[in-house]
Amino acid sequence: MRTPHLLIAMSVFVAGVFGYAALAPSPEKDRAAQTVADGTTVPPSAGASASAAPTVYDVGHLVDPSRDYFGTAISGAPQDMSRVDAFAKRVGKKPNMITIYESFDDDFAAAEVRDIYQYGALPIVRWEPFKQGLGDIAAGRFDEYLTEFATAVRTLNVPIALTVAHEMNGHWYPWGTRKNQPRDFVAAWRHIHQIFEQVGATNVIWTWTPNVINYLPGVALKPYWPGDRYVDWVGVDGYFTQSGIKHFTELFRPTLNEIKRFTAKPVLIVETGSEPGSMRATAVKELLTEVAKSKEIIGFVYFNARGSGDWVLDNDPKALRVFRTHPDRDDFSFAVK
């Protein structure tokens, strides 16, 4: 009597095992689900282990690119990427950098950053501590927030160029010269960098970004330098204006010469633009020409928005024609992957 029951039980057990094997998700499907859920990518080297951490995105090829970057900052983007598409159509060139601005108490804008990367561009995150003192940041009073932000950057696992407290050598921001000393900036920068290292967020291109020095006599840049270990790119912000400087060499060369005295890191013009008028087409032409021929400058980002001035070139046919016909335009063609 026992034998038939035993055979039946064994048959049910075997069927259950094979049924589970057929229905259970494979490790590959598990990894695909993880990618969809959090934006990370588990590399082949991680094997079949669902608990293996994904390899951190290696930014090396982006730090030293074979061609130059052409980026833009546009009001309403990247939340509405159709604005970037419209800009690309007007200038005849798809940007491979797009800027996003975040306050120091914002959550990391993972969705927007992912959209920029999927577009084929490098996200530039400009992180602005409007309400948080540099001294307090350096002292660790915002470490919980910094750790959460850095962890979110690591989890998304796409490359970003990060500027922190840009234009710190100017007096117009609360983190600038009116309330802070260079040592405050350096201490805050190094502390933030250390926290990113601790959580493994090495998918960041650290972009130290002063304003051009032309209008800031007596403010040396070297005291603000955190050191080569803490910086990947030197960023520079500078604008062409009707009442001020109208040509590339005059606008950027004094700053570049001063920077060369203490570092040889690659230079990115992180923010630039031109006021309207006949000078705008010339400014665009000089930007494309000078950056293409420079060995130290790896690209520029055009601020196509209204801020301290009207930098929008959407309705400037002469400036747009320069973009579409410039002989060096192909030097700015590559997708970020």
Side-chain angles (χ1 to χ4, degrees), residues 149-187:
F149 194 99
T151 301
V153 171
R154 169 64 181 88
T155 300
L156 184 61
N157 203 19
V158 302
I160 68 168
L162 182 65
T163 75
V164 180
H166 59 277
E167 301 175 14
M168 62 288 183
N169 57 324
H171 53 76
W172 43 86
Y173 286 125
W175 56 82
T177 57
R178 287 183 177 175
K179 297 183 179 180
N180 300 277
Q181 297 296 319
R183 63 178 177 271
D184 301 320
F185 173 83
V186 169

Side-chain angles (χ1 to χ4, degrees), residues 20 23 50 62 71 121 128 134 232 242 247 253 261 265-266 270 272 276 283 290 330:
Y20 174 80
L23 293 174
L62 299 178
E128 304 171 314
L134 295 180
D232 300 301
Q242 291 284 3
H247 294 284
R253 184 46 58 188
R261 295 171 186 162
K265 293 288 185 177
V270 183
T272 190
E290 296 298 327
D330 289 341

Side-chain angles (χ1 to χ4, degrees), residues 12-272:
V12 171
F13 173 76
V14 171
V17 169
F18 282 98
Y20 174 80
L23 293 174
S26 67
E28 287 76 14
K29 290 181 179 179
D30 284 342
R31 291 196 293 273
Q34 180 186 1
T35 299
V36 172
D38 63 15
T40 60
T41 301
V42 178
S45 61
S49 173
S51 62
T55 301
V56 187
Y57 185 103
D58 185 354
V59 298
H61 66 292
L62 299 178
V63 172
D64 187 18
S66 58
R67 293 189 177 183
D68 289 319
Y69 289 100
F70 162 56
T72 187
I74 299 177
S75 296
Q79 293 82 0
D80 180 2
M81 288 297 289
S82 68
R83 300 188 181 199
V84 179
D85 290 330
F87 174 79
K89 184 176 181 180
R90 284 190 291 272
V91 301
K93 178 66 58 179
K94 182 178 178 178
N96 55 13
M97 277 185 165
I98 299 171
T99 300
I100 182 170
Y101 295 84
E102 292 216 60
S103 295
F104 208 74
D105 49 4
D106 288 338
D107 293 334
F108 176 57
E112 290 86 350
V113 167
R114 184 187 293 112
D115 287 345
I116 293 171
Y117 179 67
Q118 291 177 344
Y119 179 81
L122 178 66
I124 301 177
V125 178
R126 307 206 75 170
W127 210 7
E128 304 171 314
F130 282 105
K131 300 177 182 178
Q132 299 78 13
L134 295 180
D136 290 338
I137 293 172
R141 295 181 183 175
F142 301 100
D143 279 6
E144 182 178 356
Y145 166 70
L146 287 171
T147 301
E148 290 176 356
F149 194 99
T151 301
V153 171
R154 169 64 181 88
T155 300
L156 184 61
N157 203 19
V158 302
I160 68 168
L162 182 65
T163 75
V164 180
H166 59 277
E167 301 175 14
M168 62 288 183
N169 57 324
H171 53 76
W172 43 86
Y173 286 125
W175 56 82
T177 57
R178 287 183 177 175
K179 297 183 179 180
N180 300 277
Q181 297 296 319
R183 63 178 177 271
D184 301 320
F185 173 83
V186 169
W189 181 282
R190 290 178 176 176
H191 185 72
I192 294 169
H193 190 281
Q194 181 183 28
I195 288 179
F196 273 68
E197 281 190 331
Q198 288 172 350
V199 304
T202 56
N203 50 309
V204 173
I205 301 172
W206 292 87
T207 310
W208 177 82
T209 309
N211 195 78
V212 291
I213 64 174
N214 308 63
Y215 308 106
L216 301 167
V219 182
L221 290 179
K222 186 175 181 180
Y224 288 93
W225 182 243
D228 278 14
R229 164 169 147 49
Y230 300 93
V231 178
D232 300 301
W233 284 345
V234 169
V236 180
D237 291 351
Y239 286 82
F240 302 84
T241 63
Q242 291 284 3
S243 59
I245 299 173
K246 299 178 175 61
H247 294 284
F248 182 96
T249 299
E250 186 182 358
L251 180 60
F252 291 107
R253 184 46 58 188
T255 304
L256 297 179
N257 287 342
E258 182 169 342
I259 289 169
K260 283 166 58 176
R261 295 171 186 162
F262 55 85
T263 186
K265 293 288 185 177
V267 175
L268 175 74
I269 298 174
V270 183
E271 204 173 270
T272 190

